[in-house]
């Protein structure tokens, strides 16, 4: 972390530093070795006090940020830096969210939350189409903010929140090959837009009280039919389990917890992962512990099994392998068995490339990869490499063993 970064003038910085040092020196115990002394609770409280006394100057400093949004109600209790913030409702879109404990120690990045968010987005889009979005903005009117007392420490009313995931109303459905522009990834309820059908929040250590409290009240007041809260494990407490909580709006426009259902018929042995019926998804859903991050799953009654991004990718890989190997062997009978098997492997790899990476790599780069594989053959572990590119699209050249061309990364 930085030794000192703040946007106020040098004179103001000196004043704040003095307050910060005085606050830190008044502690009853020394700071941990990995603590940032300017991010302790006392130091941040000192800066909050300065901002309250100098609101206009502080706001002018915020206007210099690349991501400054004049519609957003910035809160003096949070830090807003060039590429990070401590405000969870203003993070995302390249702005990192940082959490600090009372000693100024940066909480370790928990990428389980990011991985789960991405997997849930993919699965919800398979179920509901491109109405599912991540990190979209949900705007609401001042009367709702006033009723719920959604005020910053400076007295401004909050104007929007950024749920981890939300499902737009059916009127906002897009065609299967369309994608919503990030600038249009918002619902302005105060201007007449209908509420999202579903909102999902994935807990962080600092958001537990807010996500179960005022955000639940906000989404209920806005008429969001279903609200899900996800704990990836160890968030609500050191030993809290992986858990999905599902809430549904009742006739009084309050959230009632949806009780867990029994495991669907044909699901096999009883599971310790509770399942919940979702009206929005028209299927049972659950959060199942994985090797690292939890796996969001839905019950496919037609296939009689739980599905998620991992099982779907495996199914697609198996299908492509079967079809491509059969095609390659058939061609091999006419052109020579060895050559036919090689062609089959290349076709299998190219088919998997287009099926699994169409949303990760531009078609022009996939064409480059196909040309190279037809000439030189794909890597022996090509399927594993393709799945890894889904997580690290900027590393596709090295992962897929493609010679460097013009230096472009090729990710979308």
């Amino acid at each position: 972390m930085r030794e000192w970064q703040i946007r106020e003038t040098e004179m103001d910085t000196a004043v704040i530093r003095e307050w910060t040092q005085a606050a830190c020196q008044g502690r009853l115990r020394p700071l941990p070795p990995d603590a940032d002394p300017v991010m302790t609770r006392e130091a941040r409280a000192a800066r909050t006090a300065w901002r309250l006394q100098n609101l206009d100057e502080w706001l002018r400093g915020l206007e210099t940020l690349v991501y400054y949004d004049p519609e957003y109600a910035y809160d003096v209790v949070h830090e807003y830096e060039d590429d990070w913030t401590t405000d969870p409702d203003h993070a995302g879109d390249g702005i990192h969210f940082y959490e600090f404990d009372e000693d100024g120690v940066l909480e370790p990045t928990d990428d389980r939350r990011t991985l789960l968010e991405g997997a849930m987005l993919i699965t919800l889009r398979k179920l509901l189409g491109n109405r599912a979005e991540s990190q979209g903005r949900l705007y609401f009117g001042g009367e709702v903010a006033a009723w719920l007392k959604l005020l910053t420490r400076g007295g401004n009313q909050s104007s929007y929140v950024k749920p981890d995931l939300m499902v737009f109303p059916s009127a906002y459905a897009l065609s299967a090959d369309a994608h919503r522009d990030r600038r249009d990834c918002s619902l302005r309820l105060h201007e007449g837009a209908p509420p999202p059908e579903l909102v999902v929040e994935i807990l962080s250590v600092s958001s537990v009280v807010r996500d179960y409290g005022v955000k639940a009240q906000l989404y209920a007041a806005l008429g969001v039919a279903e609200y899900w809260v996800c704990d990836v494990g160890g968030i609500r407490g050191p030993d809290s389990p992986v858990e999905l909580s599902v809430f549904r709006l009742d006739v009084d426009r309050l959230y009632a917890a949806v009780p867990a259902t029994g495991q669907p018929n044909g699901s096999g042995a009883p599971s310790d992962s509770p399942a919940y019926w979702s009206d929005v998804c028209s299927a049972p859903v659950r959060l199942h512990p994985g090797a690292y991050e939890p796996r969001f799953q839905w019950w496919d009654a037609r296939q009689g099994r739980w599905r998620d991004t991992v099982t779907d990718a495996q199914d697609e890989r198996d299908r492509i392998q079967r079809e491509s190997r059969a095609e390659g062997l058939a061609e091999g009978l006419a052109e020579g068995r060895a050559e036919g098997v090689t062609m089959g492997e290349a076709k299998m790899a190219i088919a998997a490339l287009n099926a699994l990476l169409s949303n990760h790599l531009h078609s022009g780069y996939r064409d480059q990869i196909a040309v190279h594989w037809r000439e030189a053959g794909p890597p022996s572990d090509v399927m594993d490499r393709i799945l890894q590119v889904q997580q690290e699209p900027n590393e596709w050249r090295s992962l897929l063993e493609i010679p460097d061309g013009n230096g472009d990364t090729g990710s979308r």
Side-chain angles (χ1 to χ4, degrees):
M1 285 302 298
R2 70 224 191 325
E3 179 179 351
W4 182 265
Q5 291 177 355
I6 198 157
R7 286 177 299 277
E8 287 82 7
T9 65
E10 288 299 321
M11 181 178 297
D12 295 326
T13 299
V15 172
I16 296 172
R17 188 194 301 274
E18 181 180 344
W19 288 354
T20 298
Q21 291 173 343
C24 292
Q25 291 170 359
R27 298 177 60 85
L28 299 179
R29 56 187 175 84
L31 291 174
D34 56 344
D36 184 345
V38 301
M39 294 305 295
T40 64
R41 180 177 296 175
E42 296 95 328
R44 291 180 61 186
R47 289 199 296 281
T48 297
W50 181 90
R51 292 167 186 152
L52 285 169
Q53 296 172 15
N54 301 270
L55 279 175
D56 291 341
E57 185 173 350
W58 175 64
L59 290 172
R60 285 195 297 272
L62 291 178
E63 292 174 2
T64 66
L65 293 171
V66 174
Y67 59 86
Y68 176 72
D69 180 358
E71 292 187 278
Y72 188 69
Y74 290 88
D75 200 326
V76 295
V77 301
H78 288 302
E79 310 290 324
Y80 301 94
E81 296 295 339
D82 289 337
D83 60 355
W84 64 270
T85 179
T86 58
D87 185 347
D89 285 328
H90 209 54
D93 296 333
I95 308 303
H96 302 289
F97 172 52
Y98 287 168
E99 296 179 277
F100 296 85
D101 68 12
E102 64 177 7
D103 292 328
V105 176
L106 179 65
E107 296 285 354
T109 301
D110 192 343
D111 57 356
R112 294 177 301 165
R113 299 176 61 250
T114 304
L115 293 170
L116 176 61
E117 180 182 319
M120 291 185 78
L121 177 62
I122 292 172
T123 300
L124 288 173
R125 283 186 170 178
K126 286 184 177 180
L127 285 168
L128 304 168
N130 283 336
R131 293 191 293 135
E133 292 287 356
S134 65
Q135 299 296 323
R137 295 181 180 183
L138 183 59
Y139 290 85
F140 47 89
E143 68 282 357
V144 177
W147 177 54
L148 293 176
K149 296 183 174 60
L150 297 175
L151 303 177
T152 68
R153 282 285 298 275
N156 295 322
Q157 290 182 345
S158 298
S159 53
Y160 69 74
V161 292
K162 292 176 67 175
D164 292 317
L165 295 157
M166 63 178 174
V167 174
F168 281 54
S170 56
Y172 288 73
L174 301 176
S175 58
D177 58 348
H179 293 276
R180 189 172 284 105
D181 190 288
R182 292 304 302 172
R183 293 171 296 181
D184 298 328
C185 192
S186 61
L187 285 173
R188 295 179 176 271
L189 274 61
H190 61 301
E191 296 179 358
E197 295 182 4
L198 167 68
V199 163
V200 181
E201 294 287 4
I202 302 174
L203 295 174
S204 65
V205 173
S206 64
S207 75
V208 174
V209 174
R210 181 172 169 81
D211 287 344
Y212 277 109
V214 69
K215 277 200 171 179
Q217 295 175 321
L218 172 64
Y219 298 143
L222 297 179
V224 179
E226 280 187 14
Y227 176 43
W228 301 355
V229 181
C230 304
D231 185 342
V232 296
I235 302 298
R236 291 165 297 164
D239 300 318
S240 62
V242 169
E243 185 171 274
L244 170 66
S245 300
V246 176
F247 302 93
R248 186 173 299 131
L249 207 61
D250 63 18
V251 293
D252 297 319
R253 291 179 69 88
L254 298 173
Y255 280 133
V258 174
T261 63
Q263 294 299 312
N265 292 331
S267 60
S271 171
D272 58 358
S273 301
Y276 304 89
W277 175 263
S278 168
D279 286 343
V280 175
C281 296
S282 299
V285 296
R286 71 180 188 182
L287 205 57
H288 193 63
Y292 181 57
E293 79 277 9
R295 292 163 62 176
F296 171 68
Q297 301 179 320
W298 67 283
W299 177 255
D300 187 334
R302 183 176 61 84
Q303 297 186 13
R305 65 187 182 94
W306 288 103
R307 292 179 56 183
D308 56 40
T309 54
V310 175
T311 58
D312 284 354
Q314 182 64 53
D315 290 345
E316 184 69 8
R317 179 168 61 180
D318 293 345
R319 182 189 67 80
I320 292 170
Q321 285 178 332
R322 289 193 303 269
E323 294 179 358
S324 299
R325 186 170 288 118
E327 182 180 351
L329 290 173
E331 291 181 3
L333 294 176
E335 301 179 14
R337 184 177 182 82
E339 181 181 355
V341 171
T342 300
M343 290 175 60
E345 291 175 348
K347 287 191 174 184
M348 176 186 70
I350 293 168
L353 170 77
N354 290 317
L356 300 178
L357 298 182
S358 61
N359 290 328
H360 299 79
L361 293 182
H362 190 277
S363 59
Y365 295 101
R366 285 184 274 119
D367 290 343
Q368 290 182 28
I369 297 168
V371 169
H372 178 74
W373 283 353
R374 289 191 187 101
E375 295 176 352
S380 59
D381 57 346
V382 64
M383 299 305 297
D384 291 332
R385 290 173 179 267
I386 287 175
L387 293 177
Q388 191 171 351
V389 172
Q390 288 184 332
Q391 302 298 325
E392 302 177 85
N394 288 334
E395 302 298 324
W396 66 271
R397 284 194 183 276
S398 60
L399 289 172
L400 300 181
E401 297 185 353
I402 305 302
D404 193 7
N406 57 15
D408 291 338
T409 61
S411 61
R412 284 193 180 274

